[in-house]
Amino acid sequence: MKIKSSFGDKVFDVFNITLMLIICFLTLYPVWYIIVYSFNEGKDAMLGGIYFWPRKFTLDNYKTVFSNSDITTAFMVTVARTVITTTLHVFFTAMVAYAFLRKELMGRKIYMAMGTITLFFGGGLIPYFLLIKSLGLYNTFWVYVIPGMFNFYNLIIFQAFFRELPIELEESAKIDGANDFVIFTRIILPLSTPVLATIALFVGVYNWNDYFMGVIFINNPKLQPIQTFLYKVIAQVTSNQMLAYAPGGIATRNVTSQSLKMATMVITTMPIVCVYPFLQKYFVKGLLIGAIKG
Amino acid sequence: MESAISPNMQHGRKSGFRRFLHKLNEQKYLQAMAIPGVIWMIIFNYIPMYGIIIAFKEYDITLGFNKSPWVGLANFKEFFSDERFWLIIKNTVGISFFKLLVGFPLPILFAVLLNELVSVRFKRAVQTISYLPHFISWVVLGGILMNWLSETGLINIILTKIDILKQPIAFLAEPKYFWGIAVVSEVWKELGWNAIIYLAAIAGIDPELYEAATVDGAGRFTKMFKITIPCISGTIAIMFILAVSGLMNSNFDQIFVLRNPLNADASDVIDIYVYRMGIEAFRFSYATAIGLFKSIIALILLLTANGVTKKLTDKSLF
């Protein structure tokens, strides 16, 4: 049933497509700008006038950044933190979600009520800060991992997914003598890749992008994530400390603190930007489940 | 009589307890999977909740949550008479209000317009691109903004070139621009991401509705306003409740990056003040009281928004 589109419809289409192109440009341009700036000679970039393409192409900014051991350490801390915490979070939260879902679990109602309360009430920053200190997690790598292992909102998303799985599979496994943990790891988890990917993306992005834990819980520069490092460089106007690390020849030639910031931003952002298009179909689904149940 | 009843009761209790142990033994694997989660919640959710009592105490780090002396409502009274109290409330509510005013309808509009694109490929490309900023951290975005909004930055270059500005302005150094910067940058970052939920809701609309309307001679705009928007009104209502209950949150990560001493009069929101008083000035009890005040207002907002939306649209969170 094709109905011939009217003149008004065509005008609307043209308007709509133009608007979408403008939105795409406004979205991409700031990202493009830092990439261009990061590949341009720093002193030349300071003169302005660089909009769409590097004027004096160079890799010196990146060479300088990668020769800075603080940045490479911070990058590795972020990678380790993101991989370890995300893996543990997905496994642990899914496990608890599955156990909380099983009808025969004694105390199930109390456990679920305890979790639901955490969605609406919390202690706030200061009691949490004091807790982390008194647990001895302050200034250790584990402050990223252990408090980040569980989240009740994600538990609800897991449960919404697990409910749709065929229950016969569990029953037949039980008859074959499998215990609950075996059922969870061998049957439930392999069937749950879409929701595992969704939560992994959410938690992964959070851990990759978080700078605040590093600001309040970490003193040791060897343990700070790259976002915290970048925050300190950006927030402190005197950020020439980065320049001090530049290998002899490069520093005097053309690298500036601004161009180094840009290169660091690109390095900080690229890994996550490269991952998300592949996970897109999962998180759209996951957000929907979250919205219905949450 | 007593002696006649009690053995019976004892027997009943005993067998009840035995049954409990038996059942517990039967589900030991299941409990072993559940209880670590409960313990985690007790430590990381419930102990901080209990820690709120220090809002009513004068917290002493050597004495801890329990032994620190009570001071009643002194911390709250001090906050209400704090010279920055009204400024902080104004900033918190003001920034959130404008984020809501601009940032709430735009994703809905964006989703509806995106849905009107004829080419599926173009639609998908726009979607993928629009999610991108959600994955960029506030630190990186703050870095871009500081670069662009500085006196020699891109925004000043463009504005002076087209003669809107005579003199370049250091935007982040002036309080009067801060709210605008916060609102625009947040909308830029989350527009596409916030539209996902509405796009999913639109995708769930029965296509027969559109076909029937087409047969009845409805044009595109009629379909947009008479079918698409009413069909996603439930989702809109839920998102609105959540948005209103977040009115006391003004996105800490964002403001923490963008604030500086020069714009403090516009960027000091409750969460930032809690940080400044607690983490920077070590006034743990005072900061906790401010945080608790915020939580109470947020809870009232949640219940109010939920109630009002329930009355108006029959949709609610609970």
Side-chain angles (χ1 to χ4, degrees), chain A residues 24-99:
Chain A
C24 287
F25 174 77
L26 290 177
T27 308
L28 289 176
Y29 186 66
V31 183
W32 183 243
Y33 181 85
I34 53 171
I35 296 173
V36 168
Y37 203 117
S38 72
F39 282 109
N40 201 68
E41 287 188 1
K43 280 180 183 150
D44 174 62
M46 270 171 70
L47 303 172
I50 293 170
Y51 302 113
F52 293 103
W53 213 247
R55 190 163 46 209
K56 289 187 178 170
F57 182 85
T58 180
L59 292 173
D60 285 353
N61 297 315
Y62 287 95
K63 281 183 197 152
T64 312
V65 168
F66 283 118
S67 66
N68 178 336
S69 69
D70 277 359
I71 298 179
T72 45
T73 309
F75 190 84
M76 292 320 288
V77 168
T78 305
V79 172
R81 165 190 179 174
T82 306
V83 171
I84 294 172
T85 309
T86 308
T87 312
L88 278 174
H89 181 106
V90 167
F91 184 80
F92 186 72
T93 306
M95 179 183 83
V96 178
Y98 175 70

Side-chain angles (χ1 to χ4, degrees), chain B residues 46 53 70 100 114 119 128 131 133 136 153 170 181 183 213-214 240 258 283 293 295 304:
Chain B
Y46 283 88
I53 59 165
W70 293 97
L100 190 67
L114 199 60
S119 158
T128 308
Y131 301 153
I136 296 175
I181 293 165
V183 171
T214 315
F240 189 73
L258 294 178
R283 300 197 55 200
F293 168 76
S295 304
T304 314

Side-chain angles (χ1 to χ4, degrees), chain B residues 267-286:
Chain B
S267 62
D268 262 0
V269 296
I270 293 183
D271 286 337
I272 296 290
Y273 206 57
V274 168
Y275 174 85
R276 291 209 324 175
M277 289 296 117
I279 310 288
E280 281 178 354
F282 303 111
R283 300 197 55 200
F284 296 124
S285 284
Y286 187 50

Side-chain angles (χ1 to χ4, degrees), chain A residues 1 3 8-10 12-13 15-17 19-21 23-24 26-31 33-34 37 48-51 92 95-96 98-100 102 104-107 111 113-118 120-133 135 137 146-152 179-181 184 201-202 205-206 208-212 215-216 227-228 230-231 234-235 258 262 264-265 268-269 272-273 276-277 280 283-284 287-288 291 294, chain B residues 20 23-24 26-38 40-49 51-52 54 59 61 65 110 112-114 116-118 122 124-144 146-148 154 157-158 161 188-189 191 193 196-197 200-201 211 214-215 219-221 224 238-239 252-257 259 271 274-275 277-279 283-285 287-288 295 299 302 317-318:
Chain A
M1 83 160 50
I3 286 186
D9 279 355
K10 273 182 198 146
F12 173 74
D13 277 334
F15 162 80
N16 199 9
I17 290 169
L19 181 72
M20 291 302 164
L21 288 174
I23 290 176
C24 287
L26 290 177
T27 308
L28 289 176
Y29 186 66
V31 183
Y33 181 85
I34 53 171
Y37 203 117
I50 293 170
Y51 302 113
F92 186 72
M95 179 183 83
V96 178
Y98 175 70
F100 279 15
R102 291 275 297 274
E104 68 268 33
L105 178 77
M106 285 189 294
Y111 299 164
M114 277 178 70
T116 310
I117 288 170
T118 67
F120 298 100
F121 303 97
L125 180 67
I126 304 303
Y128 191 74
F129 176 80
L130 297 172
L131 170 77
I132 296 293
K133 275 205 145 176
L135 286 175
L137 291 171
I146 298 169
M149 268 172 61
F150 183 79
N151 178 297
F152 195 75
N179 69 45
D180 296 295
F181 190 71
F184 170 70
L201 180 74
F202 289 169
V205 170
Y206 170 78
W208 189 274
N209 280 345
D210 170 67
Y211 64 96
F212 189 62
V215 171
I216 62 170
Q227 305 277 0
T228 308
L230 194 57
Y231 168 77
I234 286 168
Q258 199 58 247
M262 295 296 179
T264 312
M265 286 186 212
T268 308
T269 310
I272 206 117
V273 169
Y276 93 92
Q280 187 173 333
F283 67 68
V284 171
L287 264 185
L288 190 60
Chain B
F20 171 79
K23 216 175 154 192
L24 195 66
E26 221 171 35
Q27 54 177 243
K28 56 179 183 280
Y29 286 101
L30 207 53
Q31 290 289 352
M33 289 161 77
I35 286 172
V38 179
W40 190 99
M41 286 196 287
I42 290 171
I43 295 174
F44 291 103
N45 293 132
Y46 283 88
I47 292 179
M49 274 188 229
I52 288 176
I54 66 167
Y59 183 74
I61 205 155
F65 287 166
F110 177 63
V112 171
L113 289 177
L114 199 60
E116 292 294 323
L117 287 179
V118 185
F122 182 54
R124 201 164 295 155
V126 176
Q127 252 180 290
T128 308
I129 290 170
S130 72
Y131 301 153
L132 174 77
H134 175 79
F135 293 91
I136 296 175
S137 70
W138 271 114
V139 175
V140 168
L141 186 49
I144 301 176
M146 279 176 214
N147 180 286
W148 282 21
L154 198 62
I157 291 174
I158 293 170
K161 250 187 191 161
W188 179 83
K189 194 170 186 296
L191 177 77
W193 186 257
I196 293 181
I197 201 93
E211 282 164 26
T214 315
V215 173
R220 266 169 106 161
F221 289 96
M224 248 188 272
I238 299 285
M239 297 311 282
F252 185 90
D253 277 359
Q254 175 197 25
I255 294 177
F256 194 72
V257 171
R259 74 173 180 141
D271 286 337
V274 168
Y275 174 85
M277 289 296 117
I279 310 288
R283 300 197 55 200
F284 296 124
S285 284
T288 307
S295 304
L299 190 66
L302 174 71
L317 270 182
F318 42 80

Side-chain angles (χ1 to χ4, degrees), chain A residues 160-283:
Chain A
F161 189 90
F162 293 156
R163 256 188 224 114
E164 308 299 318
L165 296 176
I167 195 151
E168 300 80 33
L169 284 172
E170 293 171 43
E171 279 163 3
S172 65
K174 211 177 267 175
I175 291 165
D176 291 343
N179 69 45
D180 296 295
F181 190 71
V182 172
I183 294 174
F184 170 70
T185 49
R186 297 277 169 80
I187 298 176
I188 304 295
L189 280 188
L191 289 173
S192 307
T193 28
V195 74
L196 297 175
T198 307
I199 304 295
L201 180 74
F202 289 169
V203 178
V205 170
Y206 170 78
N207 277 287
W208 189 274
N209 280 345
D210 170 67
Y211 64 96
F212 189 62
M213 301 258 302
V215 171
I216 62 170
F217 294 129
I218 298 294
N219 249 335
N220 180 354
K222 290 217 170 341
L223 283 174
Q224 72 184 349
I226 191 155
Q227 305 277 0
T228 308
F229 177 84
L230 194 57
Y231 168 77
K232 287 179 179 165
V233 170
I234 286 168
Q236 290 158 2
V237 189
T238 51
S239 60
N240 291 326
Q241 61 170 92
M242 270 173 91
L243 271 177
Y245 288 92
I250 294 175
T252 48
R253 219 161 60 226
N254 47 34
V255 173
T256 63
S257 67
Q258 199 58 247
S259 67
L260 288 184
K261 277 184 208 169
M262 295 296 179
T264 312
M265 286 186 212
V266 172
I267 292 164
T268 308
T269 310
M270 272 313 130
I272 206 117
V273 169
C274 293
V275 175
Y276 93 92
F278 299 103
L279 292 162
Q280 187 173 333
K281 60 177 177 185
Y282 295 130
F283 67 68

